[in-house]
Amino acid sequence: MDSGNCSDNTKLQAIVSALDNGRLTPLEVCRRLKLILEKEYDKPTSDRNEELVLVCEKLLYEIYTKSPYVSRKEESKKALKERLKAVPRRFSLFVHRSLIAVCVLFVIAVGVEVLFGHEWLTGTSSPDEEQYQIEGHKAEVNTLPDGHADSEDTYGQLRTSNLDEVQAFLGYTPELPTWLPEGWALKDYHVIRAPAITKFSIRYVNKAANDYLLTYSFVVYGDINQATIAFEQERSGVAMSVDGISVYISDNTIERNSIWIDGKTCFCISGLLTDDETVAIIKSIRKDRCSE
Amino acid sequence: MKKNFILCFISLILGVILLMSPLNSIAEIAVPYASPVFSSGGVSISTSIATTFLASTNKICDSIYVSSCTLQRKNSNGMWVFDATLPPPSYVAYDESEYFAYTSYASYCTTGNTYRIKAVFYAEGYTITRYSNAVDY
């Protein structure tokens, strides 16, 4: 290989001196240089004589342009680097912006949680199964306690058989059952208003029920921390799905309690009812809500 | 004589077996908790110790009221301990199935403590006991 390179270089020197002495025309020099280059290009890259290629290319350039060869290697390298850099920079910019967007969304989500809080009610049987306990929960991120006026103006209760009075007292129309088992008739309404608690209940009576009442009620907790109510029961009850809501049903001596939770409101139907009757009443309340 | 002794011994053994039998356990389980009068009850306190008492019964009762009220404080071990006997609300619901009363017990509390209230509701000879939510005062 070394001998090959040596002969090529000798050839090249001969070509250059012939050109300088005027023995070869520039056209002939070009032809010979091209032959050398073609020969080199045919070789594998590892065997190629890069120096010879470079010298031939320089000479060809100078013959064609009739001006000295000026290397633009560094300039080209720089331009190439810039181009190569531009692609990952664009990509990293995209990733960077995406990360910022995710962070902003997270901060907004936490902010909403802090400002408005996430509050909910849960119901569980006590360890001795004696009660079904409703408790309020709040996302811990909310560090500011809720403020509720404790002035006596905010407390009050109303017992009436007039629904208009109930609406005026509550400030809205409560959800009511539109179906009841045969024999039950409305007795009256009862509304309790406290700063953090509103309770609405309806009593129904039935001559055949031996003074037992059928009661539909709901408690709305303005301050979820104050949600503590427990329903009496013989033992743990069962959960039943009615129109997509989970209803907890348990027995308390001869009456049946059906309890369900919707947001910060706890609903209950108590009375001498069968499961089918309970489901029908709940469906009528839900239907009434949907038709509003 | 010997026959009688054997009979007595067998009776004694049978008696012990019956006492330890599952039938006895079933009898214990069958005793219902529940309340023949009360449906539900609850006590809620605000951060200013304004206290709301709620109870419902399944029949119209001659009277419903809070028979006793106790303030409990959480000690350094995280246990609830007796702190003070509180005067129950004076309100009595007559011929009612719903009980609602409110009162403030702030004067019984000192700052820097965690409190809850234990209340006993009474109606028609039956009682239920309820504990309020805990509040940092």
Side-chain angles (χ1 to χ4, degrees):
Chain A
M1 198 165 111
D2 286 340
S3 62
N5 283 346
C6 216
S7 81
D8 286 336
N9 288 338
T10 315
K11 268 185 195 173
L12 189 67
Q13 277 172 2
I15 292 165
V16 173
S17 58
L19 180 69
D20 290 342
N21 297 332
R23 283 187 280 116
L24 285 174
T25 60
L27 206 68
E28 183 55 27
V29 171
C30 284
R31 192 186 67 79
R32 290 188 183 189
L33 284 172
K34 276 179 185 173
L35 277 172
I36 294 169
L37 279 173
E38 275 170 15
K39 200 180 163 189
E40 287 299 315
Y41 289 150
D42 287 343
K43 289 179 185 171
T45 321
S46 54
D47 296 341
R48 199 177 290 163
N49 186 343
E50 295 292 343
E51 276 181 36
L52 179 69
V53 171
L54 193 66
V55 171
C56 290
E57 283 175 345
K58 266 184 182 179
L59 282 169
L60 277 172
Y61 177 84
E62 284 174 356
I63 291 165
Y64 283 134
T65 60
K66 287 172 185 169
S67 61
Y69 175 80
V70 179
S71 175
R72 290 185 177 168
K73 189 181 169 186
E74 290 305 315
E75 200 180 319
S76 303
K77 209 187 258 182
K78 200 178 170 186
L80 188 67
K81 273 186 182 176
E82 287 296 318
R83 283 197 171 192
L84 287 169
K85 271 184 187 174
V87 176
R89 188 182 290 171
R90 263 182 232 147
F91 178 71
S92 68
L93 202 68
F94 171 75
V95 172
H96 197 72
R97 282 178 182 168
S98 301
L99 278 172
I100 289 171
V102 169
C103 288
V104 167
L105 282 171
F106 178 75
V107 168
I108 289 170
V110 171
V112 166
E113 200 71 58
V114 169
L115 288 173
F116 303 105
H118 181 51
E119 301 173 339
W120 68 99
L121 293 173
T122 57
T124 47
S125 278
S126 58
D128 59 4
E129 301 188 26
E130 206 172 337
Q131 280 116 29
Y132 184 65
Q133 298 167 324
I134 305 293
E135 283 183 348
H137 302 275
K138 202 172 201 172
E140 288 298 320
V141 285
N142 195 343
T143 53
L144 297 170
D146 284 352
H148 285 276
D150 289 331
S151 73
E152 297 206 352
D153 299 341
T154 52
Y155 290 91
Q157 60 181 321
L158 172 74
R159 171 73 73 192
T160 179
S161 54
N162 186 337
L163 186 59
D164 291 337
E165 286 180 23
V166 171
Q167 288 169 345
F169 193 81
L170 275 175
Y172 61 90
T173 308
E175 292 171 358
L176 303 167
T178 54
W179 182 89
L180 287 173
E182 216 175 298
W184 292 99
L186 174 76
K187 181 172 170 59
D188 51 22
Y189 307 96
H190 187 245
V191 189
I192 290 165
R193 193 178 59 204
I197 300 165
T198 304
K199 184 178 179 185
F200 167 78
S201 58
I202 315 176
R203 295 192 294 191
Y204 300 97
V205 286
N206 186 341
K207 281 178 187 172
N210 194 26
D211 292 338
Y212 277 98
L213 299 163
L214 169 57
T215 311
Y216 160 67
S217 65
F218 64 79
V219 189
V220 185
Y221 291 97
D223 177 4
I224 207 77
N225 295 320
Q226 295 190 45
T228 50
I229 194 161
F231 296 86
E232 295 296 305
Q233 61 181 15
E234 287 172 6
R235 59 182 68 85
S236 289
V238 291
M240 186 189 279
S241 180
V242 181
D243 280 354
I245 57 162
S246 179
V247 180
Y248 177 83
I249 298 173
S250 64
D251 291 330
N252 178 34
T253 61
I254 62 166
E255 71 168 353
R256 180 156 294 171
N257 284 333
S258 305
I259 301 146
W260 70 99
I261 291 163
D262 188 353
K264 294 199 280 181
T265 308
C266 176
F267 295 85
C268 179
I269 296 172
S270 300
L272 309 172
L273 296 167
T274 64
D275 284 351
D276 289 344
E277 288 170 339
T278 304
V279 168
I281 295 172
I282 295 168
K283 280 187 172 179
S284 79
I285 296 163
R286 306 284 295 175
K287 197 179 168 187
D288 186 43
R289 168 195 273 200
C290 293
S291 63
E292 276 175 8
Chain B
M1 182 71 183
K2 198 179 176 184
K3 209 174 182 179
N4 282 344
F5 176 76
I6 291 166
L7 277 172
C8 280
F9 183 75
I10 290 168
S11 302
L12 186 72
I13 296 292
L14 283 172
V16 169
I17 290 168
L18 273 173
L19 277 170
M20 295 171 76
S21 73
L23 283 170
N24 189 50
S25 308
I26 289 164
E28 273 179 14
I29 291 165
V31 173
Y33 289 118
S35 171
V37 173
F38 285 97
S39 288
S40 66
V43 184
S44 303
I45 51 174
S46 71
T47 47
S48 56
I49 320 294
T51 311
T52 306
F53 300 86
L54 291 173
S56 296
T57 57
N58 53 28
K59 282 181 176 179
I60 294 172
C61 299
D62 292 340
S63 64
I64 311 169
Y65 57 90
V66 178
S67 58
S68 76
C69 214
T70 312
L71 184 68
Q72 295 186 331
R73 179 176 43 81
K74 202 178 250 186
N75 67 13
S76 54
N77 298 324
M79 304 289 286
W80 289 106
V81 292
F82 171 86
D83 194 78
T85 300
L86 303 170
S90 56
Y91 175 71
V92 178
Y94 293 106
D95 295 320
E96 260 296 349
S97 58
E98 294 285 340
Y99 180 83
F100 165 60
Y102 61 91
T103 189
S104 178
Y105 294 116
S107 59
Y108 293 86
C109 301
T110 50
T111 52
N113 287 313
T114 302
Y115 292 103
R116 75 174 182 183
I117 286 168
K118 177 188 174 185
V120 178
F121 293 88
Y122 176 91
E124 307 282 303
Y126 292 92
T127 59
I128 55 165
T129 304
R130 290 291 183 269
Y131 295 87
S132 75
N133 52 303
V135 159
D136 297 323
Y137 187 65

